[in-house]
Amino acid sequence: MTVLNDLHQDHVNLNKLLAVLDSKLEELKQGEMPNFVLLGDAVDYISGYADAYHHPLEDQMYETFKASGCPELDEAIIRCINEHKQLKQSSHEIIEAVDCILNDAVVPMDQFTAKLERFLDEQIEHLNLEEGTLFPLLEEVGTEAQWRILEADLPKVDDPLFGEKQKQRYMDLYTELLRDMR
Ligand SMILES: [Fe+2]
Ligand SMILES: [Fe+2]
């Protein structure tokens, strides 16, 4: 189940970035101004990586395991797929708001703070659903044959859109963001 390990590692990385964003949220609540360029870049990174790698893998995995005869799993899968759409929407709202701030448009800081808080809550709730409920259920319910089918269907590393080079670029960006935002 290498795919689960990969997704889990993504979650660990995401969690670190969310923790940094949470410290920026605290600054905002104290009335301090964070570096909005970096804040926007971090949310853009989270959304971009999810669109390019993380959610396509998860969506494909959920497709493979849906209707496996476990209603609890089906329910979690449906919720998860909907949350992916919601997460995308919320990240775009933050990115848009950051753009407005950077272009000197009037953005009330309490509204922006609330938006960021909602975004972080949604992200954490989604991580908890996957790590706490969905992944354990998949390990329990999924058959060897289903895992083999999934692994065979996953995009290959030499796929230019999904390849190692692209992924390395994302990893470099991730490392830079973590370093610069501290
Ligand atoms: Fe997800
Ligand atoms: Fe995930």
Side-chain angles (χ1 to χ4, degrees):
M1 287 178 272
T2 22
V3 63
L4 267 194
N5 293 338
D6 288 353
L7 290 169
H8 174 71
Q9 189 53 51
D10 281 350
H11 289 167
V12 171
N13 294 345
L14 173 61
N15 212 23
K16 283 187 198 157
L17 211 42
L18 292 176
V20 177
L21 281 171
D22 195 54
S23 70
K24 303 297 152 191
L25 175 70
E26 285 313 309
E27 285 177 26
L28 276 161
K29 285 182 177 172
Q30 306 291 324
E32 294 165 36
M33 289 294 122
N35 181 327
F36 283 106
V37 175
L38 283 175
L39 197 152
D41 284 350
V43 176
D44 193 46
Y45 170 85
I46 289 172
S47 178
Y49 186 79
D51 279 351
Y53 291 97
H54 192 75
H55 290 166
L57 279 190
E58 286 183 341
D59 290 342
Q60 197 172 346
M61 180 170 76
Y62 299 152
E63 191 59 37
T64 308
F65 290 101
K66 74 174 189 201
S68 295
C70 173
E72 200 188 348
L73 176 61
D74 282 343
E75 198 184 305
I77 286 177
I78 291 168
R79 214 183 111 191
C80 241
I81 291 173
N82 285 331
E83 286 183 7
H84 286 176
K85 292 178 194 142
Q86 177 58 42
L87 291 172
K88 186 173 173 145
Q89 168 76 20
S90 305
S91 5
H92 286 181
E93 281 176 24
I94 303 270
I95 294 163
E96 238 172 63
V98 168
D99 276 347
C100 288
I101 293 169
L102 293 175
N103 287 307
D104 292 326
V106 179
V107 178
M109 270 310 125
D110 53 340
Q111 270 180 33
F112 180 79
T113 305
K115 216 180 264 238
L116 182 62
E117 185 158 37
R118 220 165 32 238
F119 168 78
L120 293 176
D121 285 348
E122 282 172 9
Q123 290 278 350
I124 294 291
E125 204 184 310
H126 186 71
L127 277 180
N128 289 341
L129 171 63
E130 291 184 326
E131 289 286 336
T133 304
L134 226 167
F135 287 10
L137 272 175
L138 286 178
E139 283 182 304
E140 203 182 300
V141 172
T143 63
E144 273 300 317
Q146 281 175 312
W147 286 111
R148 268 201 305 274
I149 290 171
L150 174 65
E151 300 274 354
D153 281 351
L154 290 176
K156 301 290 171 278
V157 283
D158 52 5
D159 181 331
L161 279 178
F162 221 78
E164 284 302 303
K165 263 207 187 110
Q166 281 287 350
K167 187 144 189 170
Q168 189 54 48
R169 225 166 278 157
Y170 268 109
M171 282 293 103
D172 293 345
L173 191 56
Y174 172 79
T175 314
E176 271 171 40
L177 275 169
L178 270 191
R179 186 195 58 211
D180 294 347
M181 287 186 82
R182 298 229 174 263

